[in-house]
Amino acid sequence: MNYQFNLSQIVFLITDKEQDERMVVGVFIEPNGVSYKLACGATTSWHNEIEISSSKNILKTFE
């Protein structure tokens, strides 16, 4: 199975106004898709592929 994001890759949440860097630290495969565990500092959270981007959206920081 191909993954859009790789372990240890730096990514961004498309809805995050601060556009903080997050690192992919886990991948969970389900019948309906792939979820990624992202780390931002000491905090981790799970996200679906559609919530994640490999590029920073600096315009989001001006909202």
Side-chain angles (χ1 to χ4, degrees), residues 5 9-13 20-22 24 38 52-54:
F5 305 103
Q9 182 178 350
I10 300 299
V11 296
F12 304 88
L13 291 178
D20 292 328
E21 289 185 347
R22 290 169 164 74
V24 177
L38 305 182
I52 305 170
S53 173
S54 59

Side-chain angles (χ1 to χ4, degrees), residues 3-63:
Y3 306 111
Q4 187 170 349
F5 305 103
N6 299 313
L7 288 174
S8 76
Q9 182 178 350
I10 300 299
V11 296
F12 304 88
L13 291 178
I14 61 172
T15 58
D16 179 23
K17 287 185 180 181
E18 288 79 28
Q19 290 294 286
D20 292 328
E21 289 185 347
R22 290 169 164 74
M23 181 183 286
V24 177
V25 295
V27 179
F28 185 67
I29 303 166
E30 300 177 277
N32 61 341
V34 179
S35 295
Y36 295 88
K37 186 175 187 180
L38 305 182
C40 184
T43 304
T44 60
S45 54
W46 286 95
H47 299 276
N48 294 319
E49 229 169 42
I50 62 169
E51 300 176 87
I52 305 170
S53 173
S54 59
S55 57
K56 188 177 204 173
N57 182 354
I58 59 170
L59 296 178
K60 193 77 175 163
T61 62
F62 296 111
E63 290 183 352

